[in-house]
């Protein structure tokens, strides 16, 4: 039997900086990130907290410019105001945060990302390209005959690195990437991009666009008529982005992720019921992006309880000894990444129909 968590006679809470987007293209799913993280905290506190301490969230706007986010979070860490950092934010923000946070407090990064992060003290719950994108491209190649790809992404580290990987993945699937187009975050006019997609005669577009940018691209794509002959695949798509797109823009849209709101497992259905009971049926839909913040809080708690401490070195020494059961089922830390089941789904208006486990 494990010993009981240490008591907290001083009543000092365990404060977690929740870094999630409240503005910019990713702001479309920021509310679901906050709600999912809040549910995780409330459930932990109802069970006695973490290390005997009440958990509290301090939200930081991860949609601000990366340097500004890093300065704010770094100041909180230096002041001793937070005991850990959790959240969904872009890889550009993650890279700005690393020098300010890594090794000082545990940092749980929850976004699907390009892979390769090995900084000590950084733990990742999100899907990675090698585990997610390659098998998804292979399914579309085998089932829909996709051979000619065009990558359309925002112009920062995640889309750029993923695009390079996708060239090799396309070759592995018997095809090739015929063009790559990168646009600034916040792009509203996609006419020139669509003309390039048309000229390269792509069978499918690999969408590496964030939030509202993806929704605008989807609407423009359908308005241009490309949905009639060209599929789209995204590793960064949830139900909030579908709602922002509108039903007319989702035909031929595919997504790969570790969680969907329509995932019909016992664990996911139970999570959805608890979320609806807490926030109501009109609360922001929690797809893979928002739900990742629930996972982030749970992983931080699991690390702390297993290490019996919030010490970063103690957590790093745990290896593969950390696991827990959550909305994505039983998940286990492998190195500093969370191993999990992944799925491929086809958009059906405002929902996803899960087609395969990857």
């Amino acid at each position: 039997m494990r010993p009981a968590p240490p008591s907290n006679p001083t009543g000092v809470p365990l404060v977690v900086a929740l870094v999630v987007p409240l503005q910019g293209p990713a702001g479309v799913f920021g509310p679901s990130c906050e709600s999912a993280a809040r549910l995780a905290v409330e459930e932990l506190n109802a069970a006695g907290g973490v290390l005997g301490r009440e958990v509290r969230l301090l939200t930081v706007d991860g949609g601000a410019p990366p340097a500004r986010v890093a300065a704010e979070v770094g100041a909180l860490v230096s002041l001793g105001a937070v005991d850990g950092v959790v959240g969904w934010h872009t890889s550009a923000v993650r890279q700005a945060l690393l020098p300010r946070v890594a090794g000082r407090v545990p940092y749980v990064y929850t976004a699907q990302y390009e892979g390769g992060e090995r900084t000590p003290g950084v733990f990742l719950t999100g899907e990675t390209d090698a585990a997610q994108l390659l098998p998804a491209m292979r399914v579309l190649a085998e089932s829909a005959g996709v051979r000619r790809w065009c990558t359309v992404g925002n112009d920062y580290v995640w889309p750029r690195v993923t695009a390079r990987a996708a060239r090799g993945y396309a070759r592995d699937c018997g095809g090739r990437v015929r063009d790559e187009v990168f646009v600034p975050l916040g792009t509203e006019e996609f006419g020139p991009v669509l003309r390039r997609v048309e000229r390269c005669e792509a069978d499918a577009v690999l969408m590496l666009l964030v939030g509202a940018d993806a929704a605008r691209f989807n609407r423009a794509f359908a308005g241009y008529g490309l949905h009639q002959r060209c599929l789209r695949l995204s590793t960064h798509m949830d139900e909030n982005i579908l709602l922002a797109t509108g039903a007319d823009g989702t035909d031929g849209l595919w997504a790969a992720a570790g969680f969907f709101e329509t995932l019909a497992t016992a664990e996911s259905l139970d999570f959805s019921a608890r979320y609806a009971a807490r926030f109501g049926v009109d609360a922001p839909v929690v797809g893979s992006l928002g739900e990742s913040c629930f996972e982030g809080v749970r992983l931080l708690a699991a690390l702390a309880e297993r290490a019996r401490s919030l010490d970063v070195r103690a957590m790093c020494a745990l290896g593969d000894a950390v696991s827990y059961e959550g909305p994505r089922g039983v998940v286990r830390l492998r190195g500093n990444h969370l191993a999990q089941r992944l799925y491929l789904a086809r958009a059906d208006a405002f929902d996803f129909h899960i087609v395969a486990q990857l």
Side-chain angles (χ1 to χ4, degrees), residues 51-143:
L51 300 176
R53 297 167 63 180
E54 177 191 6
V55 183
R56 295 181 185 173
L57 292 177
L58 178 61
T59 301
V60 175
D61 182 7
R68 187 186 308 168
V69 179
E72 182 174 355
V73 177
L76 291 171
V77 172
S78 295
L79 290 169
V82 297
D83 301 286
V85 177
V86 171
W88 192 105
H89 34 272
T90 67
S91 288
V93 172
R94 185 187 84 251
Q95 291 188 340
L97 278 175
L98 287 175
R100 306 291 191 104
V101 173
R104 304 175 69 192
V105 295
Y107 173 21
V108 182
Y109 182 62
T110 75
Q112 182 275 329
Y113 85 116
E114 63 277 4
E117 180 60 70
R118 293 289 184 269
T119 305
V122 180
F123 305 93
L124 304 104
T125 71
E127 308 89 339
T128 58
D129 291 337
Q132 179 186 34
L133 181 55
L134 173 57
M137 291 175 71
R138 183 174 291 121
V139 169
L140 291 184
E142 294 173 353
S143 65

Side-chain angles (χ1 to χ4, degrees), residues 106-242:
Y107 173 21
V108 182
Y109 182 62
T110 75
Q112 182 275 329
Y113 85 116
E114 63 277 4
E117 180 60 70
R118 293 289 184 269
T119 305
V122 180
F123 305 93
L124 304 104
T125 71
E127 308 89 339
T128 58
D129 291 337
Q132 179 186 34
L133 181 55
L134 173 57
M137 291 175 71
R138 183 174 291 121
V139 169
L140 291 184
E142 294 173 353
S143 65
V146 172
R147 295 292 182 271
R148 299 170 301 212
W149 292 86
C150 179
T151 298
V152 178
N154 287 120
D155 194 5
Y156 71 97
V157 59
W158 163 61
R160 288 280 185 179
V161 175
T162 297
R164 289 199 296 270
R167 296 172 207 161
Y169 297 160
R171 289 192 296 271
D172 291 343
C173 298
R176 68 186 182 97
V177 176
R178 303 190 72 163
D179 199 2
E180 296 174 354
V181 190
F182 298 95
V183 298
L185 285 163
T187 293
E188 297 187 1
E189 172 53 51
F190 284 96
V193 177
L194 297 172
R195 288 189 285 274
R196 284 180 62 172
V197 173
E198 184 177 43
R199 283 198 299 270
C200 77
E201 298 182 331
D203 301 316
V205 169
L206 173 58
M207 287 178 53
L208 304 175
L209 297 165
V210 174
D213 287 12
R216 284 189 288 268
F217 177 78
N218 283 333
R219 292 195 296 268
F221 191 90
Y224 201 79
L226 284 171
H227 66 296
Q228 297 174 351
R229 62 178 181 82
C230 184
L231 301 179
R232 282 157 291 163
L233 170 64
S234 174
T235 56
H236 179 83
M237 181 69 55
D238 79 346
E239 289 80 357
N240 290 288
I241 303 174
L242 290 186

Side-chain angles (χ1 to χ4, degrees), residues 240-277:
N240 290 288
I241 303 174
L242 290 186
L243 289 169
T245 294
D248 293 341
T250 63
D251 188 32
L253 174 61
W254 294 74
F259 181 86
F260 290 96
E261 197 269 339
T262 51
L263 183 62
T265 63
E267 300 92 346
S268 65
L269 292 171
D270 184 58
F271 168 75
S272 296
R274 301 195 318 268
Y275 182 85

